[in-house]
Amino acid sequence: MFVTGTPAWQDLGTALVAEVQAAVPGAAADDVALVLVQRGAGGRPEGFVHRGAEPIYPCSLVKAFHLVHALSALDEGRAEAHGELDRAMRDMILWSSNTATNYVIDILTGTTGDTLLDGAEYLDWMSKRERLNRFFWRMGWPDWEGCRIAQKLMDDTRYGREARFAAEGGGNLNRLTALAAARLMWELFEGDLPLSPPARGRAQAILSRDPAGPDAARPEYQLSEYLGGALPSGVQVWSKAGHNLWTGDAATSWFKHDMIRITAPNRAPLLAVLMTTGEHFAAGPASVFPEFGAKIWERVAAMA
């Protein structure tokens, strides 16, 4: 685990988990995974972790991982730069487009999807799609344990080879841990990723959110109903969220997540990852995530 805890962070985080659980009738502590990270002594990551190593269906959080992978592929010449890829990388983050994400996945893996395949052809296709996992396995992060992101993003259930691949091994759906999401954001801004400086800057720019901008209230912008939706003026925000209601598949239904980096003048940057499970969160009051994000920001300031 890349985050070091302290008694102060433990006290703060434990209280916050209890409060977000209490804010949603029917919620239990096991419905929440929370990771908070800030630079500590010597620049090392310090913070709080609750169920951070639990693999959870991640919805659209995987799109931030595909963005980093795509920019690395462009750096290394494994993908060719073109306008449609630029547009897809932007739209899969800006509007959380599943269609854009699946285009990026096809570019990274040299595959297409849906129709049935068999035998060697199917095994070759599956191996190519596993490139999405292998890229992050090579990072050597302990926080990646239990994660997989090789499935495409669907607005409802899956068919053909996509359904077969998702079911391989008794259940091969996407999974992320809150620690892996926090690790990606930490390495992108504070640490080391296989990205050139221009590519790193481009990833950061694509993940940026403008709380005062014209798109801030749009649900597709994934800010107003998430952790960044009620922060004070003057903050800077980078984030990627995910939200599934009923999809037709119980394994991919009723999740709401956010991974966010927040900073402001005279404040150390704060990373927060909140992953929630269950209809009471996913279909609950839209105010829960924004109020909780503001509470985290205030409480961390008071702890300093």
Side-chain angles (χ1 to χ4, degrees):
M1 187 168 70
F2 82 105
V3 182
T4 300
T6 67
W9 276 108
Q10 186 64 36
D11 290 345
L12 172 65
T14 300
L16 286 168
V17 169
E19 289 177 32
V20 74
Q21 175 191 344
V24 179
D30 283 353
D31 297 329
V32 176
L34 177 65
V35 176
L36 305 174
V37 190
Q38 204 167 45
R39 283 196 304 264
R44 294 184 297 273
E46 289 185 356
F48 169 79
V49 177
H50 172 72
R51 298 183 74 246
E54 181 71 20
I56 298 169
Y57 186 75
C59 308
S60 294
L61 296 193
V62 296
K63 295 170 183 176
F65 289 78
H66 296 322
L67 174 65
V68 167
H69 188 173
L71 290 169
S72 177
L74 288 169
D75 269 349
E76 297 172 2
R78 293 185 288 110
E80 183 178 346
H82 60 281
E84 286 297 275
L85 178 56
D86 291 344
R87 190 165 68 98
M89 288 191 295
R90 179 199 66 193
D91 289 350
M92 77 172 175
I93 303 298
L94 183 62
W95 308 121
S96 203
S97 166
N98 287 348
T99 305
T101 305
N102 294 342
Y103 181 80
V104 172
I105 287 173
D106 285 347
I107 294 295
L108 290 174
T109 62
T111 63
T112 55
D114 298 326
T115 55
L116 284 168
L117 293 175
D118 289 304
E121 191 177 11
Y122 170 69
L123 294 175
D124 178 64
W125 175 87
M126 188 168 60
S127 177
K128 288 177 179 177
R129 285 284 287 275
E130 286 287 352
R131 292 173 186 170
L132 301 171
N133 290 326
R134 291 194 292 267
F135 178 81
F136 287 97
W137 288 338
R138 288 195 293 269
M139 301 286 187
W141 301 345
D143 317 284
W144 184 253
E145 182 69 30
C147 297
R148 49 185 182 266
I149 59 170
Q151 308 303 326
K152 283 190 169 181
L153 281 290
M154 302 294 179
D155 294 314
D156 48 44
T157 194
R158 300 166 192 275
Y159 301 90
R161 75 184 82 164
E162 298 292 348
R164 180 179 175 185
F165 184 30
E168 285 287 342
N172 193 35
L173 284 169
N174 288 341
R175 292 286 186 270
L176 277 178
T177 65
L179 274 166
R183 182 71 182 265
L184 183 80
M185 293 289 272
W186 174 267
E187 299 296 343
L188 179 59
F189 287 90
E190 314 284 351
D192 185 27
L193 279 175
L195 294 178
S196 66
R200 180 186 293 260
R202 187 177 179 188
Q204 293 172 357
I206 291 173
L207 287 163
S208 67
R209 290 286 184 268
D210 182 0
D215 296 318
R218 287 178 174 268
E220 300 86 354
Y221 195 64
Q222 294 187 324
L223 181 66
S224 62
E225 297 182 1
Y226 296 87
L227 295 176
L231 294 170
S233 61
V235 300
Q236 290 182 278
V237 172
W238 299 261
S239 69
K240 183 70 198 83
H243 191 190
N244 275 20
L245 296 171
W246 177 250
T247 67
D249 179 353
T252 65
S253 297
W254 309 123
F255 296 93
K256 187 172 183 178
H257 313 314
D258 200 5
M259 50 194 286
I260 190 169
R261 182 181 190 263
I262 313 165
T263 191
N266 304 313
R267 285 284 301 267
L270 172 68
L271 297 181
V273 177
L274 176 63
M275 301 181 73
T276 65
T277 303
E279 186 173 355
H280 35 265
F281 276 108
S287 61
V288 170
F289 267 56
E291 290 173 359
F292 191 57
K295 188 174 293 185
I296 292 171
W297 185 242
E298 293 166 4
R299 298 282 184 83
V300 171
M303 186 181 70

